[in-house]
């Protein structure tokens, strides 16, 4: 069996053996429902789409996703099992990807469990399910980006709390640079090209266009690059840690 | 099987391992000795490919650990210091996971897990989660992991640490037995262990190898090696000491204790301990001493260890005064 899958399976079991996965899923579902129906007013708007559902995801993930990812490598360092894992016939890259995939699956399961919302809007009206699908894809990609950032921060320290906080700060930054109130503030004194350039680094900019149903390859590419870059940095950090 | 060449590791300004070289063949059990912080664990981490050396090379089988780490790691079983394991897994689950990483899945994996569960006496706790185990059991679980694929090379960092005397004995027996067909390196602070299982021992101090030889060779370096201890029921210590000093081939005699009267006779360089002890026996017979015991000292490893790793201390010389 492929070592990446072996590691991913073990991690996944670990998520469900500890309450992390359950707590995450339950809180995610509760908060998603709260934001969608109370703050977003899904019913009152009388539109058959899931905009009020997806709009809140960047913020919802901001705290929940780093909580899933924070143990990825810091726990490994704390327990000393990293020494065991990396002296197995496994490349660091296989271990990094395996762990990342497992955490992504946890978030994916939580996201999949929101299917009643889709059924509801389909029951109440006739939404464009293509747009909904794009929204889910964007949301999953964004969660992946946050997770990869959390993987990176968890490799830096054996302390999960530190890993969590640093991940939240980085993800917050990734949101802010493209958040309309912030960008409009910037346009006051910076040239437009600069503001747009900075906003191009934001998850917000890319998530927004995907969630509108515009599945642009550049947006997908953006999220995949954030994931690839963060995981690559993770491998660099782990190598540096081993070298002492 | 294991070739270590000029291995060196620096942590910032600190030199943890300073150019060590040695080889271990199949059928050898190499004991790694040295005071705390000598660099034993660091060396083992480099040999197993966990940390990259600053300089030097490690070859396992025909594979270079730096250039070809995966096939090299396949040959190795490794028990890291402090025996880490995934706390949230059951013993069986943990072993099955490591078996699978070693390429043993399905039936082969199950067989391998059952084999090591039995070898390490873990059957009773196989369904218990690792975090609820006692320290000794955790240690055994990680040890079981290291032998799950029946590796050709075993690197064990303090394998008997935290085990009860029965388990220590079992693990020693196991290491000795496996040492007949594998290349084994293990570190320990228990010197009797070295005598019991090692075919060769290396003493490391401050990152360099200060002694390398069979336990017998090392013991011969001891001051005591070859000295003869004479025990008598009673008698005048000083008078007997004077008589013994004039015996052929005797360098000097010291009184270790008056009651019971115990003396130590140091043969002169070049004269055999056996001849001298025969002389002592003859003399005791002629003088009608009530001889109780006569023993040629083999030398003691702990004394050698101390004299090598603490060159400034006179602790080993106190008896010769
Ligand atoms: N990651 C690291 N960063 C900095 N220094 C380190 C690191 N790992 C080990 N050292 C230093 O290297 C030296 C050798 O440590 P090592 O763990 O190899 O000793 P040891 O011989 O195994 O000792 P012990 O008998 O206590 O297990 C020590 O002085 C230690 O402080
Ligand atoms: Mg050590």
């Amino acid at each position: 069996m492929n070592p990446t899958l072996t590691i991913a399976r073990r991690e996944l079991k670990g998520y469900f053996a500890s309450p992390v996965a359950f707590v995450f899923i339950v809180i995610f579902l509760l908060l998603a429902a709260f934001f969608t129906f109370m703050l977003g007013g899904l019913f009152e708007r009388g539109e058959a789409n899931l905009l009020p559902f997806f709009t809140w995801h960047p913020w919802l993930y901001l705290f929940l996703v780093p909580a899933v990812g924070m143990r990825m490598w810091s726990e490994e360092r704390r327990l000393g099992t990293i020494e065991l894992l990396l002296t197995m016939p496994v490349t660091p890259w296989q271990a990094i990807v395996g762990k990342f995939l497992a955490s992504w699956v946890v978030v994916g399961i939580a996201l999949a469990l929101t299917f009643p919302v889709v059924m509801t809007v389909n029951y109440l009206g006739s939404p464009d399910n293509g747009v909904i699908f794009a929204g889910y894809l964007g949301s999953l990609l964004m969660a992946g980006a946050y997770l990869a950032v959390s993987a990176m921060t968890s490799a830096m320290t054996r302390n999960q709390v530190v890993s969590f906080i640093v991940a939240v700060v980085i993800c917050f930054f990734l949101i802010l640079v493209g958040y309309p109130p912030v960008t409009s503030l910037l346009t006051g004194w910076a040239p437009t090209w600069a503001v747009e350039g900075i906003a191009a680094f934001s998850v917000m900019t890319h998530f927004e266009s995907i969630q509108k149903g515009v599945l642009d390859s550049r947006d997908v590419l953006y999220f995949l690059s954030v994931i690839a870059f963060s995981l690559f940095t993770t491998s660099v950090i782990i190598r540096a840690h081993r070298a002492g | 099987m294991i070739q270590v060449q000029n291995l060196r590791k620096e942590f910032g300004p600190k030199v943890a391992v300073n150019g060590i070289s040695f080889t271990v063949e199949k059928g050898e059990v190499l004991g790694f000795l040295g005071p705390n912080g000598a660099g034993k664990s660091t060396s083992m981490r480099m040999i197993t490919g966990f940390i990259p050396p600053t300089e030097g090379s490690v070859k396992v089988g025909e594979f270079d650990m730096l250039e070809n780490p995966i096939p090299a790691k396949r040959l190795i079983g490794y028990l890291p210091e402090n025996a880490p394991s995934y706390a949230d897994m059951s013993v069986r689950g943990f072993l099955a996971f490591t078996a699978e990483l070693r390429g043993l899945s399905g039936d082969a994996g199950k067989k391998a897990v059952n084999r090591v569960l039995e070898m390490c006496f873990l059957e009773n706790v196989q369904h218990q989660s690792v975090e609820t185990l006692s320290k000794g059991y955790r240690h055994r679980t990680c040890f079981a992991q290291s032998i799950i694929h029946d590796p050709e090379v075993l690197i064990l960092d303090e394998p008997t640490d935290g085990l009860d005397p029965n388990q220590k004995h079992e693990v020693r027996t196991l290491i000795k037995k496996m040492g007949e067909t594998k290349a084994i390196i293990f570190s320990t602070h228990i010197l009797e262990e070295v005598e019991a299982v090692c075919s060769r021992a290396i003493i490391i101090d401050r990152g360099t190898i200060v002694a390398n030889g069979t336990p017998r060779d090392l013991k011969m370096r001891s001051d005591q090696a070859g000295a003869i201890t004479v025990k008598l029921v009673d008698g005048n210590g000083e008078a007997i000491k004077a008589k013994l000093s004039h015996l052929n081939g005797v360098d000097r005699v010291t009184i270790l204790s008056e009651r019971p009267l115990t003396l130590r006779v140091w043969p002169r360089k070049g004269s055999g301990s056996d001849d001298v002890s025969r002389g002592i026996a003859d003399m005791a017979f002629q003088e009608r001493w009530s001889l109780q015991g006569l023993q040629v000292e083999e030398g003691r490893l702990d004394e050698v260890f101390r004299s090598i790793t603490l060159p400034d201390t006179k602790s080993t010389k106190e008896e010769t005064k």
Side-chain angles (χ1 to χ4, degrees), chain B residues 36-37 39-42 45 81 157-158 187 189:
Chain B
N36 291 133
K40 302 181 295 295
S41 300
T42 306
R45 288 187 180 127
E81 194 170 30
D157 204 344
E158 302 191 23
S187 73
H189 290 300

Side-chain angles (χ1 to χ4, degrees), chain B residues 16-299:
Chain B
V17 176
N18 193 357
I20 63 171
S21 309
F22 60 85
T23 57
V24 188
E25 293 306 327
K26 268 192 182 167
E28 269 192 295
V29 180
L30 177 70
F32 243 42
L33 303 175
N36 291 133
K40 302 181 295 295
S41 300
T42 306
S43 306
M44 290 183 155
R45 288 187 180 127
M46 288 191 280
I47 296 169
T48 53
F50 177 59
I51 59 178
T54 312
E55 247 175 66
S57 69
V58 174
K59 227 173 136 189
V60 181
E62 65 230 62
F63 306 108
D64 188 289
M65 185 50 86
L66 285 177
E67 283 155 20
N68 226 342
I70 300 298
K73 285 174 181 174
R74 239 176 232 135
L75 297 177
I76 301 180
Y78 178 38
L79 170 66
E81 194 170 30
N82 300 326
S85 49
Y86 291 100
D88 54 16
M89 298 181 95
S90 71
V91 172
R92 178 171 267 281
F94 172 67
L95 293 175
F97 168 64
T98 57
E100 211 173 300
L101 281 184
R102 297 290 189 181
L104 301 164
S105 49
D107 265 352
K110 213 174 233 165
K111 249 200 208 131
V113 172
N114 287 335
R115 186 178 65 92
V116 295
L117 280 174
E118 193 192 319
M119 276 169 98
C120 302
F121 308 94
L122 289 165
E123 284 146 318
N124 293 333
V125 296
Q126 55 175 302
H127 298 298
Q128 207 170 325
S129 90
V130 173
E131 63 194 335
T132 62
L133 292 177
S134 72
K135 176 181 169 177
Y137 274 94
R138 270 204 297 267
H139 214 96
R140 272 144 68 179
T141 306
C142 196
F143 179 69
Q145 161 279 132
S146 71
I147 56 174
I148 198 151
H149 54 306
D150 198 17
E152 293 176 57
V153 174
L154 255 183
I155 315 280
L156 307 168
D157 204 344
E158 302 191 23
T160 56
D161 179 41
L163 299 185
D164 67 46
N166 297 336
Q167 285 301 325
K168 276 199 172 83
H169 180 78
E170 292 293 347
V171 168
R172 279 175 205 162
T173 317
L174 201 59
I175 293 175
K176 188 156 186 168
K177 180 143 168 286
M178 291 191 298
E180 289 163 11
T181 54
K182 301 178 196 304
I184 301 183
I185 302 179
F186 84 98
S187 73
T188 181
H189 290 300
I190 305 169
L191 296 170
E192 302 89 76
E193 209 153 77
V194 177
E195 297 183 48
V197 295
C198 291
S199 55
R200 198 148 56 87
I202 283 180
I203 302 182
I204 300 184
D205 188 24
R206 279 163 285 181
T208 46
I209 295 180
V210 289
N212 182 351
T214 63
R216 240 186 101 83
D217 290 345
L218 291 180
K219 283 196 292 192
M220 295 294 268
R221 290 183 169 208
S222 161
D223 282 345
Q224 274 178 30
I228 301 149
T229 309
V230 185
K231 263 194 190 156
L232 298 157
V233 178
D234 52 20
N236 180 339
E238 286 303 326
I240 290 170
K241 178 179 168 184
K243 283 239 166 66
L244 283 174
S245 304
H246 291 110
L247 206 63
N248 230 357
V250 170
D251 181 32
R252 63 202 147 84
V253 180
T254 55
I255 299 176
L256 296 183
S257 79
E258 286 286 353
R259 198 156 300 269
L261 185 59
T262 315
L263 299 101
R264 183 158 292 161
V265 180
W266 309 82
R268 206 168 289 151
K269 279 212 165 55
S271 48
S273 302
D274 294 343
D275 291 340
V276 174
S277 52
R278 204 167 298 131
I280 296 172
D282 288 347
M283 179 178 270
F285 181 71
Q286 282 160 19
E287 303 278 338
R288 297 178 168 276
W289 292 336
S290 43
L291 192 62
Q292 202 178 24
L294 194 63
Q295 190 191 0
V296 180
E297 295 295 333
E298 275 200 304

Side-chain angles (χ1 to χ4, degrees), chain A residues 41-133:
Chain A
L42 184 77
F43 294 130
E44 292 81 359
R45 292 165 32 129
E47 289 171 28
N49 62 39
L50 280 183
L51 266 181
F53 172 63
F54 287 121
T55 312
W56 297 101
H57 282 196
W59 302 100
L60 209 52
Y61 286 157
L62 179 57
F63 291 98
L64 289 179
V65 167
V68 172
M70 67 184 181
R71 67 202 283 280
M72 222 184 282
W73 286 98
S74 50
E75 182 78 349
E76 205 81 40
R77 281 179 62 168
R78 192 177 64 80
L79 292 174
T81 43
I82 186 170
E83 190 168 348
L84 214 54
L85 189 61
L86 297 181
T87 51
M88 293 279 169
V90 169
T91 65
W93 193 243
Q94 287 170 331
I96 290 169
V97 173
K99 278 169 164 287
F100 169 73
L101 285 181
S103 64
W104 210 4
V105 168
V106 172
V107 180
I109 291 173
L111 202 55
L113 287 177
T114 59
F115 69 91
V117 193
V118 184
M119 286 165 59
T120 310
V121 286
N122 268 297
Y123 176 73
L124 293 177
S126 45
D128 184 342
N129 280 320
V131 175
I132 292 181
F133 176 77

